[in-house]
Amino acid sequence: MKKILIIAFILFSIQMYAQTNEGTVYFTRTTYWTKMNNQLSYLSKQEKEKMTYMFAGKDDWKEYMLLHYNDNESKYVASEEKSEESEGYAWRKEEFSVARNFTKNTMLDVFEILGKTYIIEDSLQTPNWKILNDIKEVAGHICMKAMIEDTLKKQKIIAWFAQDIPSNAGPERLWGLPGLILELDINDGTVLIQASKIESKKLTQELAPPKKLKGKKMNEVAYQEMLKKIIQEKIKEERNPFWFIRY
Amino acid sequence: MRKSTLLLLFVFLAFSTLVMAQNPARVTIKGIVQDTNSTVMSGATVMLLQPKDSALVNFSRANDKGAFEFRNVKNSNYLLKISYVGFLPFQQNVKPSETDIADLGAIKIKPISQELLEVVVRTAKAPLSIKGDTIEYNAASFKVPPGSSVEDLLRRLPGLEIDASGNIKAQGKDVKKVLVDGKTFFGDDPKAATKNLGAETISKVQVFNGKSDQALLTGIDDGKKEKTINLELKDEYKKGAFGKITGAVGTESRGAFRGNYNRFNKKEQFSILAYANNINETGVNWSDYGEFKGNNTFNQNDNGDFGFGGGGRYYFSDGGGITDNFDGRGFTKNFGSGVNYNYTYQKTKLSTSYFYNQTDLNLDQFQNTKTFLQNNSFSTTDTTKTTNFRGNHSIAGRFEQMLDSSNTLITKASLRFSNSNGTDLKSQRYLTQENALRNAVAINNSSDLNAFNFSGTAIFRHKFKKKGRTLAASLMYNVASTDGTDKLYSLTKFFAAQDVNEQIRAISQLNQNANNTNFLKGGLNFLEPLSKKIYWESFYNFSNNKQEVGRNAFNGLSNNERFDSLSTFYQNDITYNRIGSSIRYSHAGINVSAGLAGLRYDLNGKVYPKEGTPLTTEINKSYDALTPNLSASIDLKNNTYIGFNYNLNVEAPSITDLQPVVNNNNPFYITKGNQDLLPVKSHEVGLDLYKFDPSTFTNISLWTSYNYYQSQVVYNQEVNPSNFVTTTRPENISGGTRFNTGLYTSFPIVKTKLTVNLNGNVNLTNNPTFINGVKNETNNQGYNITLGFSITPSDKLLMGLSGSLGFTKVKYSIEEGQNQNINTKGLDASLKWNFAKKTFFETNLDYNGYKNDRFGFNQDIPILNCSVRRLLMKDNKVELRLAAFDVFNKRQTITQRGYQNVVTNQTALTLARYFMLSITYNVKGHVDKLKKNNGW
């Protein structure tokens, strides 16, 4: 009996593997902002406890994101989907697009920071992933655990990548694991990015580069330098830097 | 030359071959992935990791023959990891190879037990953590009924067995020890923890095979090798608490006490709050209120009103009164105390609170009122001494339950009992334009009132399968009753009266008042997405307000016989129905909607001479109206926002205004009803603009609103020119307008050091009324401007300086000679200085000037407060503070107003100079620095 099941499993996985390795992943990005504020160095213990007290269970903020991917490329953008609490109202979304080309080894990111649009163009730098020994299921796929650190934003990021979707792509600015990343957990659940649905389909225009690109161009080093400056400045002003830059 | 080069090359090659012969610099690592039955595992993920930190070096996939290959990789130590769906992640150390190719041969990977994969990973969605052959998982993912013990939870976990007496076996072996968060729980009996702890408190269950695993995971080495279970507690059961307590004593017998304490975990919140003082704090501030209410402070969409604005809404407060609402007049003694409990778990949110508060007011005030008539005017001066006591008990509860993923029910109830009693001693003088005394009134009134209020609300929300389609229904019931007595004594002297009998009038009256209100309202709202961008919203509102007002007045001068003319008993019944619909476009920051509603008011009023007698007058009125609504909110690039709205507001006249009954309770101000009144109709247009630059923190906001009264209810006046008795009658008039526009901007001059803010607004109103048959248009023009600077030279010094000017011009069309100019000016300077270690000096000067040339009124009030405080003890838990309030002893409260044909000027005494020493203990410690921003 066990053997049959295992064989069925294998056949099933092979079938999955044989599918077109192309499609769209629907992500829900949840920010728990009391957890985020609890990391601010300039708040007192009393303020942190009070905030946690007053917003307990009501501190989550949901956004919806899309990751389009194929064997060579990926693009991560905001979805037009509205949250259930919005009652259909739509707010303007900031410019945001993260494009990766794994064959050409290039990246093209468009972000709106402090009211200005920036275009970050560079070659891809191999991320420093650590592979851990845990598995769990995300959106119907068994995933393995990996970890990476963002020293600038002081974040410990846990990624769960699918064992059965061979793609280097991932949400946010992360990539480079042996399987498609289906979940990210930034700083112990401060921000959770979880796949809700994976749609295997032939992509048409989704991966095309943005038509008009207006904004300040810079490379990755200059971008990191700019983020560093903003974080330092906002902390000095006693304002949460992550109201101004993406967590 | 050439020869030597060749030789060199040869030597170099020979040398490198020699090195390579020991260990090649680059190798190819290959192998074949198979399962335990030697079936090839094609598509398995194979990773090369650094052994020291598991960093990913390279990865590959096994081909259709299960073979994998890493070509030309650095020859060093690796950790080879293989992962495959349904199999345990495999790990193997790879040592530096002596040959060019490191063939690892067939690698066999083991399947995960079907039970673990199906039960733990797929059903419970718990991560599996694999350490060698040991598997751990998150127990929190296993659903057990509320109230279950850990034992019940363990029964559900694969690999654990529990017998009838509670003995635990893990992988067939007896468990000798159960730890909680790595610590022994009540002795060595493993059952103590599993039987007594609730399953919901546990986040992880770890089973250890032996000492090494245990030492690794818990850091405890007890030297034994036995099966041990560690139960890790959830974070939410790790408790939090905060609070503070303050006691203060001052000169002039002033004193204050304030304390609050909050305990919480993720599931429960408990708070207590108490205060008592005689320094005019009638309640707590919003920050302390928030701490008291906890996560129940912000509950939106709780009023059950649906659809766009446009009149007919009734609001009831939920029995608050906890926050400070002192209006600046008089002296108060205050006391308040209460408890709040919130429970939030999964789909249930429950909040309950009880609060008692009381305020004892002592007020002396002087008021000067000037009333303009055509070619004439008169003035009134009131000198009043008021004492008032008010006490409230309020109990409130709110319960929210997600019935399932598509249905939510919210129910709320609040109950309030209050009693108040007070006295009013008043001396009133009526003066002619030439300052001749016409009438003098001495009043001594007292009252006693008991009130009861209950309010219950239920709101149901349903989400349909189609995304975005929702239905909401609400029902609210409010019952209020008041029961009170008024004792009215007054003596009036009419100096202009010719007849001796009319020169003096005495009143001794006892009123017994009993009012009851029953209010019911309900609504339905349906939202249908027509497309991704277009939404159709329909709503229905209903309300019925039944009011019963009874007053029996008795004449104390004539054997307490009933005053029929001053007694009344009436019943009002107002039914409101509205149905409407709107279409909205919502996409990419643009939300525009247009809607139309039809509404109807049905009014019924019955007047009886007294309760239980046949009615004397009955009013039946119905009003219908169609109300359009337009609104837009546009969110543009660069943090720019534009908002627009247009409303037609329709409000039914009040039944009291409709009843053709004369009310002569106040002998100088007699009101009459009007049966022919039409509803109030006003057109309202508003426009808002907002822009924010996050890089400099510059923001600018502009707003404007305009109201036009198509029909307004105004109180036309007939004033008797000799004794100044005013008779008013409500009537409809059109042409009243209200216009308001303003600007606020704030921007830095020196980044993080100096910020400027500027605020200006203009208010223009036009109120028409008839006075003695002549139409008077009162035109109010108000202009206010404030300019402020906030200066932060260092982290130790914060300063603020702001100045304001206000100018109000009141014009009367019937008597332009009486036009008024009311001027106010203000200056506010503040300083906070951390001048020594843990020591702070704080001061602020608030200077206000009031001027009205017509009254010959010109008063400047400078208020200076200073304090010095020092933080003491470990973690700065204690704060000692010495404060001086109103150093110049100048405080009094002045109010100047102009409306209709009246201008008033009011001065009230209040708490002036005192000094106070206070000590505060804060459980979490005080902040040892000055706060730059109040936000997060």
PDB file of all heavy atoms in Angstrom, chain A residues 46 50 53 58 87 90 129 131 133-135 137 178 237, chain B residues 56 61 91 125 128-129 269 287 295 299 584 591 922 933:
ATOM      1  N   GLN A  46       7.007  51.277  27.327  1.00  0.00           N
ATOM      2  CA  GLN A  46       5.612  51.630  27.613  1.00  0.00           C
ATOM      3  C   GLN A  46       4.840  51.874  26.313  1.00  0.00           C
ATOM      4  O   GLN A  46       3.733  51.383  26.122  1.00  0.00           O
ATOM      5  CB  GLN A  46       5.595  52.883  28.491  1.00  0.00           C
ATOM      6  CG  GLN A  46       4.300  53.671  28.463  1.00  0.00           C
ATOM      7  CD  GLN A  46       3.409  53.376  29.656  1.00  0.00           C
ATOM      8  OE1 GLN A  46       3.854  52.872  30.667  1.00  0.00           O
ATOM      9  NE2 GLN A  46       2.149  53.691  29.537  1.00  0.00           N
ATOM     10  N   LYS A  50       1.775  49.575  24.942  1.00  0.00           N
ATOM     11  CA  LYS A  50       0.493  50.240  24.767  1.00  0.00           C
ATOM     12  C   LYS A  50      -0.036  50.032  23.349  1.00  0.00           C
ATOM     13  O   LYS A  50      -1.207  49.725  23.143  1.00  0.00           O
ATOM     14  CB  LYS A  50       0.669  51.732  25.036  1.00  0.00           C
ATOM     15  CG  LYS A  50      -0.613  52.494  24.816  1.00  0.00           C
ATOM     16  CD  LYS A  50      -0.452  53.959  25.020  1.00  0.00           C
ATOM     17  CE  LYS A  50      -1.708  54.658  24.538  1.00  0.00           C
ATOM     18  NZ  LYS A  50      -1.678  56.072  24.806  1.00  0.00           N
ATOM     19  N   TYR A  53      -1.193  46.633  22.838  1.00  0.00           N
ATOM     20  CA  TYR A  53      -2.443  46.467  23.565  1.00  0.00           C
ATOM     21  C   TYR A  53      -3.622  47.010  22.759  1.00  0.00           C
ATOM     22  O   TYR A  53      -4.644  46.367  22.601  1.00  0.00           O
ATOM     23  CB  TYR A  53      -2.315  47.228  24.887  1.00  0.00           C
ATOM     24  CG  TYR A  53      -3.436  47.017  25.865  1.00  0.00           C
ATOM     25  CD1 TYR A  53      -3.509  45.848  26.593  1.00  0.00           C
ATOM     26  CD2 TYR A  53      -4.392  47.996  26.067  1.00  0.00           C
ATOM     27  CE1 TYR A  53      -4.517  45.662  27.512  1.00  0.00           C
ATOM     28  CE2 TYR A  53      -5.412  47.804  26.984  1.00  0.00           C
ATOM     29  CZ  TYR A  53      -5.468  46.639  27.705  1.00  0.00           C
ATOM     30  OH  TYR A  53      -6.467  46.447  28.599  1.00  0.00           O
ATOM     31  N   LYS A  58      -5.699  43.730  15.317  1.00  0.00           N
ATOM     32  CA  LYS A  58      -6.257  44.630  14.300  1.00  0.00           C
ATOM     33  C   LYS A  58      -5.138  45.395  13.615  1.00  0.00           C
ATOM     34  O   LYS A  58      -5.304  46.537  13.227  1.00  0.00           O
ATOM     35  CB  LYS A  58      -7.179  45.650  14.958  1.00  0.00           C
ATOM     36  CG  LYS A  58      -8.399  45.028  15.558  1.00  0.00           C
ATOM     37  CD  LYS A  58      -9.298  46.066  16.136  1.00  0.00           C
ATOM     38  CE  LYS A  58     -10.551  45.394  16.662  1.00  0.00           C
ATOM     39  NZ  LYS A  58     -11.506  46.330  17.168  1.00  0.00           N
ATOM     40  N   GLU A  87     -14.492  47.479   0.408  1.00  0.00           N
ATOM     41  CA  GLU A  87     -15.823  47.687  -0.172  1.00  0.00           C
ATOM     42  C   GLU A  87     -15.722  48.210  -1.602  1.00  0.00           C
ATOM     43  O   GLU A  87     -16.525  49.025  -2.044  1.00  0.00           O
ATOM     44  CB  GLU A  87     -16.656  48.640   0.699  1.00  0.00           C
ATOM     45  CG  GLU A  87     -16.899  48.031   2.081  1.00  0.00           C
ATOM     46  CD  GLU A  87     -17.757  48.870   2.987  1.00  0.00           C
ATOM     47  OE1 GLU A  87     -17.874  50.083   2.730  1.00  0.00           O
ATOM     48  OE2 GLU A  87     -18.314  48.308   3.948  1.00  0.00           O
ATOM     49  N   ALA A  90     -10.836  51.912  -4.508  1.00  0.00           N
ATOM     50  CA  ALA A  90      -9.502  51.653  -5.020  1.00  0.00           C
ATOM     51  C   ALA A  90      -8.603  52.829  -4.730  1.00  0.00           C
ATOM     52  O   ALA A  90      -8.942  53.964  -5.060  1.00  0.00           O
ATOM     53  CB  ALA A  90      -9.561  51.422  -6.532  1.00  0.00           C
ATOM     54  N   TRP A 129      21.900  32.539   0.049  1.00  0.00           N
ATOM     55  CA  TRP A 129      20.870  31.736   0.718  1.00  0.00           C
ATOM     56  C   TRP A 129      21.473  30.667   1.603  1.00  0.00           C
ATOM     57  O   TRP A 129      22.504  30.088   1.270  1.00  0.00           O
ATOM     58  CB  TRP A 129      19.998  31.043  -0.327  1.00  0.00           C
ATOM     59  CG  TRP A 129      19.028  31.927  -1.029  1.00  0.00           C
ATOM     60  CD1 TRP A 129      19.101  32.339  -2.326  1.00  0.00           C
ATOM     61  CD2 TRP A 129      17.841  32.491  -0.497  1.00  0.00           C
ATOM     62  NE1 TRP A 129      18.033  33.122  -2.635  1.00  0.00           N
ATOM     63  CE2 TRP A 129      17.234  33.239  -1.526  1.00  0.00           C
ATOM     64  CE3 TRP A 129      17.228  32.448   0.759  1.00  0.00           C
ATOM     65  CZ2 TRP A 129      16.056  33.939  -1.345  1.00  0.00           C
ATOM     66  CZ3 TRP A 129      16.045  33.130   0.941  1.00  0.00           C
ATOM     67  CH2 TRP A 129      15.473  33.873  -0.107  1.00  0.00           C
ATOM     68  N   ILE A 131      20.245  26.978   3.233  1.00  0.00           N
ATOM     69  CA  ILE A 131      19.157  26.007   3.080  1.00  0.00           C
ATOM     70  C   ILE A 131      18.966  25.270   4.402  1.00  0.00           C
ATOM     71  O   ILE A 131      19.925  24.759   4.970  1.00  0.00           O
ATOM     72  CB  ILE A 131      19.480  24.993   1.959  1.00  0.00           C
ATOM     73  CG1 ILE A 131      19.900  25.709   0.677  1.00  0.00           C
ATOM     74  CG2 ILE A 131      18.300  24.059   1.715  1.00  0.00           C
ATOM     75  CD1 ILE A 131      18.846  26.523   0.003  1.00  0.00           C
ATOM     76  N   ASN A 133      16.484  22.586   7.020  1.00  0.00           N
ATOM     77  CA  ASN A 133      15.949  21.233   6.908  1.00  0.00           C
ATOM     78  C   ASN A 133      14.475  21.106   7.244  1.00  0.00           C
ATOM     79  O   ASN A 133      14.063  20.144   7.842  1.00  0.00           O
ATOM     80  CB  ASN A 133      16.757  20.335   7.842  1.00  0.00           C
ATOM     81  CG  ASN A 133      17.571  19.353   7.037  1.00  0.00           C
ATOM     82  OD1 ASN A 133      17.344  19.217   5.841  1.00  0.00           O
ATOM     83  ND2 ASN A 133      18.497  18.684   7.673  1.00  0.00           N
ATOM     84  N   ASP A 134      13.658  22.083   6.912  1.00  0.00           N
ATOM     85  CA  ASP A 134      12.243  21.996   7.248  1.00  0.00           C
ATOM     86  C   ASP A 134      11.437  21.957   5.960  1.00  0.00           C
ATOM     87  O   ASP A 134      11.835  22.523   4.957  1.00  0.00           O
ATOM     88  CB  ASP A 134      11.806  23.230   8.031  1.00  0.00           C
ATOM     89  CG  ASP A 134      12.665  23.468   9.254  1.00  0.00           C
ATOM     90  OD1 ASP A 134      13.903  23.549   9.107  1.00  0.00           O
ATOM     91  OD2 ASP A 134      12.106  23.577  10.336  1.00  0.00           O
ATOM     92  N   ILE A 135      10.301  21.293   6.027  1.00  0.00           N
ATOM     93  CA  ILE A 135       9.409  21.315   4.870  1.00  0.00           C
ATOM     94  C   ILE A 135       8.008  21.696   5.326  1.00  0.00           C
ATOM     95  O   ILE A 135       7.619  21.441   6.471  1.00  0.00           O
ATOM     96  CB  ILE A 135       9.369  19.959   4.116  1.00  0.00           C
ATOM     97  CG1 ILE A 135       8.903  18.831   5.032  1.00  0.00           C
ATOM     98  CG2 ILE A 135      10.711  19.643   3.487  1.00  0.00           C
ATOM     99  CD1 ILE A 135       8.578  17.568   4.271  1.00  0.00           C
ATOM    100  N   GLU A 137       3.807  22.871   3.584  1.00  0.00           N
ATOM    101  CA  GLU A 137       3.006  23.024   2.383  1.00  0.00           C
ATOM    102  C   GLU A 137       2.575  24.474   2.216  1.00  0.00           C
ATOM    103  O   GLU A 137       2.137  25.110   3.163  1.00  0.00           O
ATOM    104  CB  GLU A 137       1.776  22.131   2.506  1.00  0.00           C
ATOM    105  CG  GLU A 137       1.048  21.989   1.209  1.00  0.00           C
ATOM    106  CD  GLU A 137      -0.445  21.953   1.408  1.00  0.00           C
ATOM    107  OE1 GLU A 137      -1.019  23.004   1.780  1.00  0.00           O
ATOM    108  OE2 GLU A 137      -1.026  20.904   1.206  1.00  0.00           O
ATOM    109  N   PRO A 178      16.534  26.829  -5.735  1.00  0.00           N
ATOM    110  CA  PRO A 178      16.306  25.758  -6.709  1.00  0.00           C
ATOM    111  C   PRO A 178      14.834  25.563  -7.072  1.00  0.00           C
ATOM    112  O   PRO A 178      14.540  24.767  -7.965  1.00  0.00           O
ATOM    113  CB  PRO A 178      16.848  24.515  -6.010  1.00  0.00           C
ATOM    114  CG  PRO A 178      17.652  24.999  -4.871  1.00  0.00           C
ATOM    115  CD  PRO A 178      17.146  26.340  -4.507  1.00  0.00           C
ATOM    116  N   GLU A 237      14.891  61.361  12.936  1.00  0.00           N
ATOM    117  CA  GLU A 237      13.680  62.186  13.087  1.00  0.00           C
ATOM    118  C   GLU A 237      12.617  61.505  13.955  1.00  0.00           C
ATOM    119  O   GLU A 237      11.527  62.044  14.145  1.00  0.00           O
ATOM    120  CB  GLU A 237      13.050  62.463  11.714  1.00  0.00           C
ATOM    121  CG  GLU A 237      13.838  63.415  10.847  1.00  0.00           C
ATOM    122  CD  GLU A 237      13.264  63.528   9.436  1.00  0.00           C
ATOM    123  OE1 GLU A 237      12.109  63.094   9.208  1.00  0.00           O
ATOM    124  OE2 GLU A 237      13.972  64.035   8.568  1.00  0.00           O
TER     125      GLU A 237
ATOM    126  N   LEU B  56      24.015  28.195   0.288  1.00  0.00           N
ATOM    127  CA  LEU B  56      23.807  27.544  -1.006  1.00  0.00           C
ATOM    128  C   LEU B  56      24.939  27.927  -1.962  1.00  0.00           C
ATOM    129  O   LEU B  56      25.199  29.104  -2.203  1.00  0.00           O
ATOM    130  CB  LEU B  56      22.455  27.995  -1.575  1.00  0.00           C
ATOM    131  CG  LEU B  56      22.015  27.411  -2.910  1.00  0.00           C
ATOM    132  CD1 LEU B  56      21.775  25.908  -2.803  1.00  0.00           C
ATOM    133  CD2 LEU B  56      20.748  28.102  -3.400  1.00  0.00           C
ATOM    134  N   ARG B  61      19.314  19.574 -10.937  1.00  0.00           N
ATOM    135  CA  ARG B  61      18.202  18.631 -10.860  1.00  0.00           C
ATOM    136  C   ARG B  61      18.611  17.299 -11.462  1.00  0.00           C
ATOM    137  O   ARG B  61      19.375  17.272 -12.430  1.00  0.00           O
ATOM    138  CB  ARG B  61      16.997  19.181 -11.605  1.00  0.00           C
ATOM    139  CG  ARG B  61      16.319  20.203 -10.755  1.00  0.00           C
ATOM    140  CD  ARG B  61      14.958  20.566 -11.182  1.00  0.00           C
ATOM    141  NE  ARG B  61      14.555  21.580 -10.219  1.00  0.00           N
ATOM    142  CZ  ARG B  61      13.575  21.413  -9.325  1.00  0.00           C
ATOM    143  NH1 ARG B  61      12.875  20.320  -9.316  1.00  0.00           N
ATOM    144  NH2 ARG B  61      13.312  22.369  -8.473  1.00  0.00           N
ATOM    145  N   GLN B  91      20.800  14.510   3.484  1.00  0.00           N
ATOM    146  CA  GLN B  91      22.037  15.264   3.618  1.00  0.00           C
ATOM    147  C   GLN B  91      23.238  14.341   3.654  1.00  0.00           C
ATOM    148  O   GLN B  91      23.174  13.301   4.296  1.00  0.00           O
ATOM    149  CB  GLN B  91      22.009  16.063   4.935  1.00  0.00           C
ATOM    150  CG  GLN B  91      21.418  17.404   4.746  1.00  0.00           C
ATOM    151  CD  GLN B  91      21.383  18.256   6.003  1.00  0.00           C
ATOM    152  OE1 GLN B  91      20.662  19.184   6.031  1.00  0.00           O
ATOM    153  NE2 GLN B  91      22.158  17.959   7.013  1.00  0.00           N
ATOM    154  N   LYS B 125      -1.259  21.747   7.992  1.00  0.00           N
ATOM    155  CA  LYS B 125      -0.410  22.789   7.419  1.00  0.00           C
ATOM    156  C   LYS B 125       0.705  23.215   8.375  1.00  0.00           C
ATOM    157  O   LYS B 125       1.030  24.386   8.515  1.00  0.00           O
ATOM    158  CB  LYS B 125      -1.235  24.011   7.003  1.00  0.00           C
ATOM    159  CG  LYS B 125      -2.341  23.695   6.011  1.00  0.00           C
ATOM    160  CD  LYS B 125      -2.440  24.762   4.939  1.00  0.00           C
ATOM    161  CE  LYS B 125      -3.449  24.400   3.854  1.00  0.00           C
ATOM    162  NZ  LYS B 125      -2.968  23.336   2.965  1.00  0.00           N
ATOM    163  N   LEU B 128       7.279  20.760   8.926  1.00  0.00           N
ATOM    164  CA  LEU B 128       8.024  19.645   9.500  1.00  0.00           C
ATOM    165  C   LEU B 128       9.465  20.076   9.585  1.00  0.00           C
ATOM    166  O   LEU B 128      10.015  20.591   8.625  1.00  0.00           O
ATOM    167  CB  LEU B 128       7.974  18.441   8.554  1.00  0.00           C
ATOM    168  CG  LEU B 128       6.799  17.512   8.537  1.00  0.00           C
ATOM    169  CD1 LEU B 128       7.136  16.319   7.650  1.00  0.00           C
ATOM    170  CD2 LEU B 128       6.474  17.037   9.937  1.00  0.00           C
ATOM    171  N   SER B 129      10.059  19.864  10.746  1.00  0.00           N
ATOM    172  CA  SER B 129      11.450  20.232  10.903  1.00  0.00           C
ATOM    173  C   SER B 129      12.237  18.944  11.068  1.00  0.00           C
ATOM    174  O   SER B 129      11.929  18.146  11.949  1.00  0.00           O
ATOM    175  CB  SER B 129      11.589  21.128  12.120  1.00  0.00           C
ATOM    176  OG  SER B 129      12.877  21.627  12.171  1.00  0.00           O
ATOM    177  N   GLN B 269      -7.494  40.983  27.392  1.00  0.00           N
ATOM    178  CA  GLN B 269      -7.005  42.278  27.847  1.00  0.00           C
ATOM    179  C   GLN B 269      -7.859  42.699  29.035  1.00  0.00           C
ATOM    180  O   GLN B 269      -9.073  42.624  28.984  1.00  0.00           O
ATOM    181  CB  GLN B 269      -7.171  43.331  26.753  1.00  0.00           C
ATOM    182  CG  GLN B 269      -6.498  42.972  25.453  1.00  0.00           C
ATOM    183  CD  GLN B 269      -6.447  44.135  24.503  1.00  0.00           C
ATOM    184  OE1 GLN B 269      -7.402  44.897  24.405  1.00  0.00           O
ATOM    185  NE2 GLN B 269      -5.351  44.275  23.800  1.00  0.00           N
ATOM    186  N   SER B 287      -5.517  59.474  25.136  1.00  0.00           N
ATOM    187  CA  SER B 287      -4.496  58.444  25.173  1.00  0.00           C
ATOM    188  C   SER B 287      -4.799  57.433  26.284  1.00  0.00           C
ATOM    189  O   SER B 287      -4.747  56.222  26.073  1.00  0.00           O
ATOM    190  CB  SER B 287      -3.153  59.125  25.386  1.00  0.00           C
ATOM    191  OG  SER B 287      -2.201  58.201  25.772  1.00  0.00           O
ATOM    192  N   ASN B 295      -8.034  47.052  22.533  1.00  0.00           N
ATOM    193  CA  ASN B 295      -8.302  46.846  21.108  1.00  0.00           C
ATOM    194  C   ASN B 295      -9.769  47.080  20.753  1.00  0.00           C
ATOM    195  O   ASN B 295     -10.166  46.883  19.619  1.00  0.00           O
ATOM    196  CB  ASN B 295      -7.821  45.462  20.643  1.00  0.00           C
ATOM    197  CG  ASN B 295      -8.622  44.331  21.220  1.00  0.00           C
ATOM    198  OD1 ASN B 295      -9.551  44.553  21.989  1.00  0.00           O
ATOM    199  ND2 ASN B 295      -8.272  43.119  20.863  1.00  0.00           N
ATOM    200  N   ASN B 299     -13.487  50.564  16.624  1.00  0.00           N
ATOM    201  CA  ASN B 299     -14.400  49.643  15.969  1.00  0.00           C
ATOM    202  C   ASN B 299     -15.206  50.428  14.964  1.00  0.00           C
ATOM    203  O   ASN B 299     -16.072  51.205  15.304  1.00  0.00           O
ATOM    204  CB  ASN B 299     -15.318  48.960  16.978  1.00  0.00           C
ATOM    205  CG  ASN B 299     -14.634  47.776  17.615  1.00  0.00           C
ATOM    206  OD1 ASN B 299     -13.994  46.987  16.923  1.00  0.00           O
ATOM    207  ND2 ASN B 299     -14.749  47.653  18.916  1.00  0.00           N
ATOM    208  N   ARG B 584     -20.764  53.508  -8.670  1.00  0.00           N
ATOM    209  CA  ARG B 584     -19.434  54.013  -8.376  1.00  0.00           C
ATOM    210  C   ARG B 584     -18.397  53.429  -9.315  1.00  0.00           C
ATOM    211  O   ARG B 584     -18.412  52.234  -9.615  1.00  0.00           O
ATOM    212  CB  ARG B 584     -19.070  53.645  -6.936  1.00  0.00           C
ATOM    213  CG  ARG B 584     -17.751  54.235  -6.495  1.00  0.00           C
ATOM    214  CD  ARG B 584     -17.472  53.945  -5.053  1.00  0.00           C
ATOM    215  NE  ARG B 584     -17.000  52.586  -4.878  1.00  0.00           N
ATOM    216  CZ  ARG B 584     -17.398  51.766  -3.935  1.00  0.00           C
ATOM    217  NH1 ARG B 584     -18.295  52.166  -3.070  1.00  0.00           N
ATOM    218  NH2 ARG B 584     -16.920  50.556  -3.840  1.00  0.00           N
ATOM    219  N   ASN B 591     -12.074  57.273  -7.397  1.00  0.00           N
ATOM    220  CA  ASN B 591     -13.361  56.767  -6.921  1.00  0.00           C
ATOM    221  C   ASN B 591     -14.396  57.867  -7.132  1.00  0.00           C
ATOM    222  O   ASN B 591     -14.311  58.917  -6.510  1.00  0.00           O
ATOM    223  CB  ASN B 591     -13.288  56.423  -5.442  1.00  0.00           C
ATOM    224  CG  ASN B 591     -12.301  55.307  -5.151  1.00  0.00           C
ATOM    225  OD1 ASN B 591     -12.590  54.140  -5.352  1.00  0.00           O
ATOM    226  ND2 ASN B 591     -11.107  55.685  -4.716  1.00  0.00           N
ATOM    227  N   ASN B 922       5.587  54.485  37.057  1.00  0.00           N
ATOM    228  CA  ASN B 922       5.240  53.859  35.784  1.00  0.00           C
ATOM    229  C   ASN B 922       5.846  52.463  35.759  1.00  0.00           C
ATOM    230  O   ASN B 922       7.054  52.296  35.901  1.00  0.00           O
ATOM    231  CB  ASN B 922       5.815  54.724  34.650  1.00  0.00           C
ATOM    232  CG  ASN B 922       5.336  54.269  33.290  1.00  0.00           C
ATOM    233  OD1 ASN B 922       5.132  53.083  33.061  1.00  0.00           O
ATOM    234  ND2 ASN B 922       5.155  55.208  32.394  1.00  0.00           N
ATOM    235  N   ASN B 933       8.188  63.463  18.006  1.00  0.00           N
ATOM    236  CA  ASN B 933       6.875  63.327  17.358  1.00  0.00           C
ATOM    237  C   ASN B 933       5.973  62.558  18.294  1.00  0.00           C
ATOM    238  O   ASN B 933       6.438  61.748  19.071  1.00  0.00           O
ATOM    239  CB  ASN B 933       6.995  62.523  16.061  1.00  0.00           C
ATOM    240  CG  ASN B 933       7.990  63.136  15.139  1.00  0.00           C
ATOM    241  OD1 ASN B 933       7.900  64.311  14.828  1.00  0.00           O
ATOM    242  ND2 ASN B 933       8.977  62.372  14.725  1.00  0.00           N
TER     243      ASN B 933
END
